[in-house]
């Protein structure tokens, strides 16, 4: 029988706790830009890929389409992304706007600072190992 304290060894529980700590650090660093780390990531992916279908974006970000659409709405309201016609009526595609590129570019140095700070706190060796483990986990467990 599993006891409530067994959760301390739960992979999901501990990954989520670590993710919240790291996300908070990035969010604090990005605060002057008006972006949260999740928004910065979305804008960055769109700035690299151009126009993307919601399915391709969801696959790239390992998110379900409903959550992704919900996360795109505030960016759309700000004028940083826009929906564009897809190849057919059933396809929804998204692209970053010029204003979105500007916001993302202005936030980039703040993100870089957060990234440097995180690596310094973890040490380069531990960070590299951690990143390799995260890639491995995603590849081994992903159903996307």
């Amino acid at each position: 029988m599993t006891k409530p304290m067994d959760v301390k060894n739960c992979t999901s529980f501990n990954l989520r706790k670590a993710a919240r700590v790291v996300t908070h650090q990035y969010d604090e660093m990005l605060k002057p830009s008006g972006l949260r780390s999740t928004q910065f990531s979305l804008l960055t992916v769109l700035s690299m890929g151009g126009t993307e279908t919601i399915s391709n974006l969801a696959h790239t970000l390992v998110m379900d389409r409903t959550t992704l659409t919900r996360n795109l709405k505030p960016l759309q309201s700000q004028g940083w992304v826009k929906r564009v016609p897809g190849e057919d009526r059933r396809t929804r595609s998204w692209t970053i706007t010029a204003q979105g590129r500007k916001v993302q570019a202005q936030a980039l140095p703040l993100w870089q600072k957060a990234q440097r700070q995180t690596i310094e706190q973890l040490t380069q060796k531990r960070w590299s190992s951690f990143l390799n483990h995260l890639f491995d986990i995603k590849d081994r467990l992903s159903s996307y």
Side-chain angles (χ1 to χ4, degrees), residues 37-88:
S37 58
T38 52
Q39 295 171 320
F40 176 81
S41 296
L42 271 170
L43 290 176
T44 300
V45 167
L46 282 170
S47 72
M48 294 183 323
T51 301
E52 291 288 342
T53 65
I54 198 79
S55 294
N56 286 346
L57 275 174
H59 178 78
T60 298
L61 295 165
V62 190
M63 294 175 76
D64 67 80
R65 292 167 35 147
T66 304
T67 302
L68 178 57
T69 300
R70 190 171 49 248
N71 288 337
L72 285 164
K73 294 295 183 183
L75 299 177
Q76 183 181 30
S77 296
Q78 292 288 334
W80 299 336
V81 299
K82 66 180 179 180
R83 245 177 97 183
V84 293
E87 293 177 16
D88 61 46

Side-chain angles (χ1 to χ4, degrees), residues 16-50:
R16 287 178 180 271
K17 281 185 0 180
R20 284 191 290 272
V21 169
V22 172
T23 299
H24 177 74
Q25 183 165 312
Y26 279 73
D27 284 347
E28 284 299 310
M29 202 65 69
L30 286 167
K31 205 174 257 185
S33 73
L35 291 174
R36 293 189 321 270
S37 58
T38 52
Q39 295 171 320
F40 176 81
S41 296
L42 271 170
L43 290 176
T44 300
V45 167
L46 282 170
S47 72
M48 294 183 323

Side-chain angles (χ1 to χ4, degrees), residues 127-142:
W127 176 77
S128 295
S129 175
F130 179 65
L131 199 57
N132 286 331
H133 287 298
L134 289 176
F135 289 145
D136 187 50
I137 289 167
K138 185 195 111 7
D139 291 344
R140 288 175 185 257
L141 301 179
S142 181

